[in-house]
Amino acid sequence: MRLALIGFGNIATTLLTQLDAPLDAVSVLVRPDAADATRARLDGEFVKLSAERTVCTDLAGLLLTKPDLVVECAGHTAVKAFVPDLLEAGLDVILVSIGALADEALHGALTDAARDGNARLILPAGAVGGIDLLASLGAAGDLQVTYRGTKPPMAWAGTPAEETLDLEALSEPAGFFNGTARQAATDFPKNANVAATLALAGAGFEATQVELIADPQAPGNIHEYQVSSPLARYSMRIENLPSAGNAKTSVSTVYSVLREIRNRIGPVAI
């Protein structure tokens, strides 16, 4: 496989450390000011992953590497800037920043681009489980989904949570958001990808209700949701460890992307 990555932060580098099969090529798209540092890491700790390793600073350069699959892991701005053109070029893209699809215009543009390019926009389950069941139940309609996201206080640093809470002084759980999945994904782009994933798999952005909580006793990033449909009812609670170096992201997100890649290149997909 010829694998391309947009971004070379915590998610991308952790993903590359977990790939256990050599690749035909690895290419990475980063900002020009990050190119030298990215090239040094790629040619250092990831030298055995592939003999062909390329650092690109624009979309044209990435396309020249002829990737079979692209993984976006650089945030909402990168989704808007690069993913439509990649899909139109016929390249399948795994979207880590699923919350970007709360933007209806962008969601529509990506869907059209995938259709025009005969490509697939792949939405991994990320830090949450049961997406297969949720998507199946959604076909029957009349679906009710509520989600609660709980993280340690400093995982909410730099978000609107700081407007209502003193995160450093918090001594007990405190909720700071109640609303739709669309608003959660819009207001907390680095923290609410799970809410967006649940919405897209199930009842939609407006019908999926979200509560966000800061808890100093939280053992990690906790995702809980309840589903009710004419076919079944279920609830799920997942306690994820935060990704190293980024408390906002659950480390299982990386392994969800890894699963998508392994299903792509392995003889059996599950």
Side-chain angles (χ1 to χ4, degrees):
M1 170 183 280
R2 302 179 66 85
L3 180 67
L5 303 170
I6 302 176
F8 203 62
N10 178 263
I11 292 177
T13 54
T14 304
L15 175 64
L16 291 185
T17 64
Q18 298 304 314
L19 287 170
D20 49 12
L23 299 171
D24 297 319
V26 177
S27 52
V28 183
L29 176 59
V30 295
R31 299 186 311 272
D33 62 315
D36 290 343
T38 300
R39 188 172 290 108
R41 290 195 68 183
L42 203 59
D43 292 344
E45 59 194 279
F46 301 114
V47 66
K48 295 182 180 180
L49 191 59
S50 175
E52 184 179 332
R53 302 176 304 279
T54 307
V55 176
C56 310
T57 57
D58 57 31
L59 183 62
L62 190 71
L63 290 172
L64 286 175
T65 67
K66 301 184 184 302
D68 300 311
L69 180 67
V70 181
V71 179
E72 173 283 314
C73 44
H76 291 201
T77 300
V79 175
K80 294 179 182 179
F82 305 118
V83 176
D85 289 336
L86 289 167
L87 292 169
E88 286 188 354
L91 298 174
D92 292 350
V93 178
I94 297 176
L95 196 73
V96 173
S97 305
I98 294 178
L101 299 184
D103 181 334
E104 289 186 271
L106 179 60
H107 190 183
L110 293 179
T111 302
D112 291 342
R115 186 180 295 111
D116 293 343
N118 194 28
R120 296 179 67 220
L121 182 63
I122 301 166
L123 309 181
V128 70
I131 295 301
D132 52 348
L133 178 57
L134 178 59
S136 300
L137 296 178
D142 195 20
L143 197 63
Q144 297 179 21
V145 182
T146 59
Y147 163 72
R148 174 183 293 173
T150 303
K151 297 183 180 183
M154 298 319 296
W156 301 107
T159 77
E162 292 182 323
E163 298 173 6
T164 56
L165 299 177
D166 183 348
L167 296 175
E168 293 187 0
L170 207 61
S171 60
E172 59 184 24
F176 54 86
F177 176 88
N178 277 279
T180 68
R182 188 180 306 281
Q183 195 62 50
T186 301
D187 292 352
F188 302 89
K190 295 182 179 181
N191 292 80
N193 281 312
V194 166
T197 301
L198 294 172
L200 288 161
F205 277 102
E206 304 301 337
T208 302
Q209 295 301 304
V210 173
E211 180 182 8
L212 300 178
I213 298 171
D215 183 355
Q217 277 76 53
N221 298 338
I222 304 173
H223 305 290
E224 301 171 273
Y225 70 100
Q226 293 78 41
V227 177
S228 177
S229 91
L231 303 181
R233 296 181 180 179
Y234 75 97
S235 60
M236 183 164 290
R237 174 185 169 97
I238 304 165
E239 294 184 5
N240 282 306
L241 292 177
S243 183
N246 185 0
K248 299 179 188 298
T249 300
S250 299
V251 69
S252 58
T253 298
V254 178
Y255 287 82
S256 176
V257 176
L258 178 65
R259 170 182 171 270
E260 295 288 351
I261 295 173
R262 286 177 170 171
N263 278 346
R264 179 88 171 215
I265 62 179
V268 178
I270 186 168

